[in-house]
Amino acid sequence: MILFPAIDLKDGQCVRLKLGDMDQATVFNDDPAAQAKSFEDQGFDYLHVVDLNGAFAGESVNGAAVDAILKNVKFPVQLGGGIRNLGHIESWLDKGLARVILGTVAVRDPALVKEAAAKWPGQVAVGIDARQGMVAVEGWAETSELSVIELARRFEGAGVAAIIYTDIDRDGVLAGINWDATLELARATAIPVIASGGLASMADIERMTRPEYQVLEGAISGRALYDGRIDSREALALLRAA
């Protein structure tokens, strides 16, 4: 079970949004590379990064900040936000990213995702963000007519490394992950699922150690780590012992 600390990038700074609203951003660090190094020093095994501006723009906007992160840490980094074509994917993987996360393009052009997953085995993940069970795209600005499970099943057998599932209504408000929907998705697909959006406390970490939650690859934590609601060393020890 992997606990992924999250760095969300907006205007070159490390922020957390509330309910995916770019106008409700709290800045936690103006040096994302230093924040990434701090997470590595705390013992985390993997870093989750999102280019929030890029998700809206459809192309990399915080590339300089991501470059700085990659130069400053040795642990693997996955990145989502604004990665929409094979050129974007190849460029980032060549720079040393362990994994790219494809969100909007997974809805708009699933064939591209399958092509990428075949070309770069183990390095392409799909980000599924949802409101009330329906997939949201374009930086969460639009909601599609596609259900979460329907989208996930499009990529069965395609070589997708993981699905990062976010319940937008839980994101950044410390309301707790939507465990029911997350576990339902994990049981509906053979693709490993990573929970995101709302991890709130050590109680959530303890819940993840239960046998029924071992179907998940892990979970992403942002605000709760920054606020100190989750003790990183205690959380990592619990998950590694599970």
Side-chain angles (χ1 to χ4, degrees), residues 82-215:
I83 304 173
R84 305 283 169 87
N85 60 53
L86 294 176
H88 288 164
I89 296 167
E90 185 169 27
S91 175
W92 277 121
L93 294 179
D94 284 348
K95 286 184 176 185
L97 270 185
R99 193 153 68 184
V100 296
I101 304 165
L102 306 179
T104 294
V105 73
V107 176
R108 306 281 195 234
D109 191 356
L112 184 147
V113 177
K114 293 175 183 177
E115 181 180 353
K119 187 172 183 179
W120 295 287
Q123 293 186 283
V124 175
V126 169
I128 300 182
D129 307 325
R131 282 193 180 91
Q132 299 179 346
M134 306 307 289
V135 177
V137 295
E138 305 293 348
W140 301 352
E142 300 176 21
T143 303
S144 73
E145 296 299 315
L146 199 60
S147 77
V148 170
I149 291 175
E150 184 182 355
L151 179 59
R153 284 180 171 161
R154 288 184 177 182
F155 302 108
E156 287 284 357
V160 169
I163 289 172
I164 292 94
Y165 172 63
T166 304
D167 184 329
I168 298 169
D169 294 325
R170 304 291 186 100
D171 191 66
V173 295
L174 300 168
I177 281 176
N178 185 339
W179 293 113
D180 290 343
T182 304
L183 291 176
E184 181 184 12
L185 173 61
R187 294 180 185 121
T189 177
I191 303 169
V193 171
I194 299 167
S196 176
L199 198 71
S201 67
M202 290 302 298
D204 281 329
I205 300 296
E206 289 162 4
R207 179 193 292 256
M208 288 163 57
T209 67
R210 299 176 192 168
E212 62 267 34
Y213 290 84
Q214 299 307 300
V215 67

